[in-house]
Amino acid sequence: MVKMPDLVLKGKAIKLGDNISTDDIIPGRFAHLRSNLPELARHVLEDAVPGFASRVKLSDFLVAGKNFGLGSSREHAPVVIKMSGVGAILAKSAARIFFRNAINQGLPVLLCDTDKIGDGDELEINLTGGMIANLTSGITLNCSKMPPIMSAILEEGGLIPYIQKHKGFVIIS
Amino acid sequence: MGKTLAEKILSLKSHGEAKAGDVVIADVDLAFVQDTTGPLTIRQFKESGFEALAKPQQTIIFLDHAAPSPAQQLSNDHILLRCFAGETGCRIYEVGEGICHQLIAEQFANPGDVILGSDSHTVTAGALGAFATGMGSSDIAVALALGKTWFRVPESFLIELKGVFLRGVYAKDLILYLIGQIGADGANYKALEFGGEALAQMTMPQRLTIANMAVEAGAKVGLFPGDEITRDFLMEHGRGDNYKPLYPDAEANYEQVILVNLDQLEPMLSLPHAVDNVRPVTRVKGVKIQQAFIGTCTNGRLEDLAVAAEILKGKKRHPGTRLLIAPASRQVLIRAIEKGYIQILIEAGAAILPPGCAACLGLHQGVLGDGEVCLSTANRNFKGRMGNPEAMVYLASPATAAASAIKGEITDPRDLM
Ligand code: SF4
């Protein structure tokens, strides 16, 4: 079985607060750009973190507080985050629809105690084990487990490749 | 063990025994997209190599968010959606028909159905006892092709309602109060199930307002039982045959029980920039507003326009406050014209917008200016929601919005009744 290409991800933390909404990630006023994803991606998080799109580096991690991604079902939100180069999202909790959308896009979302991570900390994430090593502070964090069906979707790189492979949903107990 | 409403519906639709915490594959009775999430869904559907819809007659496209379109890119998105409807034979609701969630309630949802929409307020149909929830484009694309999806069966909170609303207090005040209590993530991944003796008096429009905002507490669904009020609503809307009673078992297991006495509630407001930032109107009175907006899938129904018309009859909006009104559907608009509400509202100085989402999501028909304050009957007030991160949005009932439009500042509707 082909596993995810990046079982271990390395990058720097970009810290965000609690309750980052889908309107923060990609405001409704840019709805006319939704069929032009590269253009839309230039506005990712611009109201919440001025200059974010130019600041973010490939494989950086978004490290948020609670309820990341609350609000709308627009899958454009995880799409533009992924397009901006973010390797994974770490949060204390994530809103339901956003969480599912991110995994469906093959963008890992790990739930853990993000208070133990500072802005700019170097992190190494082991996706298979659900462990985060904070290389800056030396602390190791455990992430809560997602349902096996979601891990399987993430391992295939998203829902569409998963469905193409399995031709449907497979329950793993 | 007895079952909650969520467990009952998902057991039926997964052809097995579904308990909270289980992951099940369930049949989808109805799936829909709207015009800001539909184009991505269609592109994913096509890129995946899917060609046919599992259930064309139970697949619906709504042109409601940018309706009529304010920008060429959105007009082109509409063309894409219309072409897809032509190719696949699914249903399409054109500009001016109304908001997806209102049309689903008027024409489609039944107790026990599983309904998916690529819109977070799909939960609205929970008022009719449908397990209705919002998902993103990938999940909807797959559901359109397979007629199935997967769910983790949610744990349920029972919201037990007693008493009756006092004058000037409405379903909107109840749900704002509840979200203030539960918090914006307090019911994350859970089902809110409404019960208690107050339901016998609670109309379908009130239930729709409440179920609509379940997602603002993080919930996956906001479910009402299928009772006599559901049956009467279905009969009025020509689908009485689709009624089946739906109640939770007496020994159902709830993660939490929250008791609310309706006669202890007062008019409530949600303050910028979070829906759970809730206070009684009496504590926020006097804040100047430049715009009042009555409409949306939360509060754009006939009963909402009736309340607004009652308060605005023979009065005028404050000269410093614009009053925007968008009926939730064509049917709502026609009935509001027949009943004389529209005339009253126009005479009071309102601008009537076409049935649809209108100013709610900040892309047209009432975008706010820098530093402006809007009192809206919608369900969200996140920063930037109404098109400008420098503006402030307060959420309240249609009565509070109408009273505030007259005074030009946040006003307790009971002062004008
Ligand atoms: S009225 Fe507002 S909340 Fe409702 S579907 Fe339209 S944009 Fe979404």
Side-chain angles (χ1 to χ4, degrees), chain B residues 27-271:
Chain B
D27 300 336
V28 175
D29 294 292
L30 191 80
F32 69 90
V33 301
Q34 38 90 336
D35 49 346
T36 67
T37 55
L40 183 58
T41 311
I42 286 171
R43 284 197 297 274
Q44 282 166 320
F45 182 89
K46 292 190 165 168
E47 279 164 25
S48 312
F50 298 135
E51 279 160 15
L53 299 169
K55 302 173 181 172
Q57 280 306 297
Q58 283 130 282
T59 301
I60 316 173
I61 295 172
F62 294 97
L63 307 183
D64 55 354
H65 280 61
S69 162
Q72 65 188 54
Q73 296 95 329
L74 291 161
S75 307
N76 290 336
D77 283 345
H78 283 185
I79 292 175
L80 175 76
L81 294 165
R82 290 188 190 106
C83 288
F84 185 78
E87 288 161 18
T88 59
C90 72
R91 296 172 191 255
I92 183 160
Y93 282 73
E94 265 295 342
V95 169
E97 295 287 345
I99 307 168
C100 51
H101 310 302
Q102 177 65 13
L103 294 165
I104 292 285
E106 286 174 6
Q107 300 183 25
F108 295 100
N110 303 305
D113 284 354
V114 168
I115 299 178
L116 300 187
S118 68
D119 189 285
S120 55
H121 294 104
T122 303
V123 289
T124 312
L128 284 123
F131 193 98
T133 194
M135 290 186 178
S137 305
S138 299
D139 272 315
I140 300 296
V142 169
L144 295 185
L146 303 183
K148 290 180 190 302
T149 194
W150 72 271
F151 290 111
R152 182 185 169 281
V153 183
E155 293 80 14
S156 294
F157 290 5
L158 175 64
I159 314 295
E160 201 173 332
L161 304 173
K162 277 173 58 172
V164 287
F165 290 117
L166 302 180
R167 190 160 167 74
V169 183
Y170 301 87
K172 182 62 163 287
D173 300 303
L174 164 63
I175 189 64
L176 290 180
Y177 167 82
L178 263 175
I179 292 163
Q181 296 293 305
I182 297 172
D185 62 347
N188 214 351
Y189 312 123
K190 311 291 181 193
L192 297 185
E193 299 196 9
F194 297 88
E197 63 194 39
L199 288 202
Q201 313 283 330
M202 191 168 272
T203 65
M204 190 53 68
Q206 293 175 325
R207 295 176 184 201
L208 288 162
T209 297
I210 294 166
N212 173 268
M213 290 192 72
V215 67
E216 308 310 330
K220 186 179 291 190
V221 283
L223 284 167
F224 280 80
D227 60 10
E228 279 163 28
I229 288 172
T230 323
R231 189 197 58 203
D232 293 349
F233 180 88
L234 291 173
M235 278 168 50
E236 269 169 46
H237 289 80
R239 54 185 200 284
D241 289 350
N242 295 353
Y243 173 72
K244 42 185 178 310
L246 177 73
Y247 295 94
D249 291 333
E251 336 76 83
N253 191 22
Y254 297 102
E255 186 173 308
Q256 260 189 51
V257 179
I258 299 173
L259 198 75
V260 184
N261 208 332
L262 302 189
D263 37 47
Q264 285 172 4
L265 293 175
E266 55 180 316
M268 305 299 284
L269 271 177
S270 166
L271 277 55

